[in-house]
Amino acid sequence: MMSSSSYNNLVVAAAAALFLAGVLGGSNAQLSATFYDTSCPNISSIVQGIIDQAQNSDVRINAKLIRLHFHDCFVDGCDGSILLDNADGIVSEKDANPNINSADGYSVVDDMKTALENVCPGVVSCADILTIASQISVSLAGGPTWRVLYGRRDSRTANQAGANSDIPTPFDTLDENRQKFTSKGLDSTDLVALSGAHTFGRAQCRTFSNRLYNFNNSNSPDQSIDATYLQTLQGTCPQGGDGTVVANLDPSTPNAFDNDYFTNLQNNRGLLQTDQELFSTTGADTVAVVNRFAGSQTEFFDAFAQSMINMGNISPLTGSDGEIRANCSRVNA
């Protein structure tokens, strides 16, 4: 006869299994933290070695890599489609409005793929490279770490139209932004936590200059911007100036992964419209989340790690679906 403690343990295990099945669903359940333990056990150290080298010449590489993962997952799931170049039958997502002359880091991903192919040929997908590169990038910048799930495969096509419609833009209202997250199975906590990745990196003047001079065709600046911060930004981005000049997303600690992003929002120093509206939208459920993360970096780090896992679970190709590309920028012959 089964003891009461064994029975209780069985019930807990069954409940956990049902919960995971519900959260991950279908093919997502095939993702595993141990997926490469035998076939490519050094994946993490190899990827980190490439990022370490890249940081020597590009202080922004960590933010660039996590952005590639984000933009990949929001278009038909985390399938490496953002990395494909134009080719017969493929209209590249690199040329979509949210990515063109903006998304970067592709060459570093190529370096990771080359290094992994030299050690584990035909094993590690480009989609999984983006996933582990994001986790390592956050950790190297002082942020949290988490157990990455692997087993994604690469798409054989791209979806530029989907990139144009599904990736959040700096000009979205909170409602528009929320809808894009909801459509991917992500909630308001995920929205705020993942927006916290703007604790490092830069944004081009063209993505926020409308807030500085003519917000919503008012011929006036966005009233939610702190007056001193507004003057600083107007100096960086003069009206009619070069729209490709960049400003720090986090003016206080621009290269560190911390919770200063949220205290900036409380002080009306969010750079992008989509950032500041998380806090300045009256009655929005995101305000309480911003306040919680501003008050506790630990809570932010814990939520961010979970939200990255949630995002990484969006519609992956697993099993025999898709392929393992030999070159991340083109499908296999």
Side-chain angles (χ1 to χ4, degrees):
M1 177 179 291
M2 183 181 296
S3 69
S4 61
S5 61
S6 297
Y7 176 80
N8 288 338
N9 289 340
L10 181 61
V11 170
V12 170
L18 286 170
F19 172 78
L20 287 173
V23 171
L24 298 177
S27 62
N28 296 11
Q30 297 179 32
L31 299 180
S32 167
T34 61
F35 190 84
Y36 295 119
D37 278 7
T38 301
S39 58
C40 197
N42 296 324
I43 176 176
S44 183
S45 60
I46 291 171
V47 170
Q48 180 166 337
I50 299 298
I51 296 176
D52 286 339
Q53 293 175 18
Q55 287 182 128
N56 292 332
S57 58
D58 186 358
V59 70
R60 299 166 57 194
I61 190 58
N62 295 322
K64 290 176 180 178
L65 290 171
I66 195 172
R67 187 162 183 254
L68 285 180
H69 181 45
F70 185 103
H71 284 207
D72 181 44
C73 290
F74 264 68
V75 184
D76 298 334
C78 310
D79 60 3
S81 59
I82 192 174
L83 303 173
L84 288 172
D85 288 337
N86 289 308
D88 287 345
I90 294 176
V91 180
S92 178
E93 293 172 21
K94 294 179 181 181
D95 296 329
N97 291 330
N99 298 326
I100 192 168
N101 298 322
S102 176
D104 199 1
Y106 300 110
S107 63
V108 176
V109 176
D110 289 340
D111 289 343
M112 295 173 191
K113 181 61 173 174
T114 297
L116 288 166
E117 285 295 304
N118 288 337
V119 178
C120 320
V123 172
V124 180
S125 69
C126 302
D128 275 347
I129 290 173
L130 290 178
T131 308
I132 184 59
S134 296
Q135 184 269 312
I136 291 171
S137 292
V138 169
S139 180
L140 288 176
T145 187
W146 58 92
R147 204 168 185 218
V148 173
L149 301 180
Y150 298 112
R152 299 165 193 80
R153 289 168 65 85
D154 298 321
S155 69
R156 296 190 180 96
T157 188
N159 183 0
Q160 187 181 112
N164 282 324
S165 63
D166 292 4
I167 296 174
T169 80
F171 313 106
D172 288 341
T173 65
L174 178 57
D175 284 344
E176 291 168 337
N177 206 9
R178 192 199 309 275
Q179 178 55 42
K180 290 180 178 181
F181 274 73
T182 300
S183 70
K184 306 301 178 185
L186 302 174
D187 63 18
S188 292
T189 299
D190 295 315
L191 167 58
V192 178
L194 293 173
S195 295
H198 286 173
T199 184
F200 60 2
R202 316 285 189 271
Q204 296 181 12
C205 290
R206 64 185 177 91
T207 63
F208 60 87
S209 59
N210 65 309
R211 301 185 68 210
L212 309 182
Y213 303 102
N214 185 26
F215 187 59
N216 288 341
N217 296 315
S218 65
N219 292 317
S220 299
D222 184 343
Q223 297 301 302
S224 69
I225 305 178
D226 171 77
T228 302
Y229 187 45
L230 174 63
Q231 289 181 346
T232 299
L233 293 177
Q234 288 175 332
T236 302
C237 307
Q239 193 165 19
D242 183 355
T244 63
V245 171
V246 296
N248 294 323
L249 284 160
D250 177 351
S252 54
T253 54
N255 299 317
F257 198 98
D258 54 30
N259 70 331
D260 278 13
Y261 167 83
F262 299 104
T263 56
N264 291 337
L265 298 187
Q266 290 177 322
N267 294 319
N268 294 321
R269 289 174 171 251
L271 184 64
L272 305 179
Q273 174 182 340
T274 46
D275 293 327
Q276 192 57 52
E277 287 195 358
L278 296 173
F279 181 74
S280 297
T281 303
T282 303
D285 60 352
T286 55
V287 176
V289 185
V290 169
N291 288 333
R292 183 157 53 91
F293 293 163
S296 172
Q297 182 163 280
T298 299
E299 284 202 44
F300 166 48
F301 279 10
D302 289 347
F304 183 83
Q306 185 57 57
S307 291
M308 286 295 291
I309 293 171
N310 295 344
M311 185 179 74
N313 286 337
I314 299 174
S315 304
L317 299 172
T318 58
S320 60
D321 293 335
E323 64 183 14
I324 305 297
R325 288 187 215 134
N327 182 323
C328 289
S329 64
R330 61 175 181 264
V331 299
N332 296 337

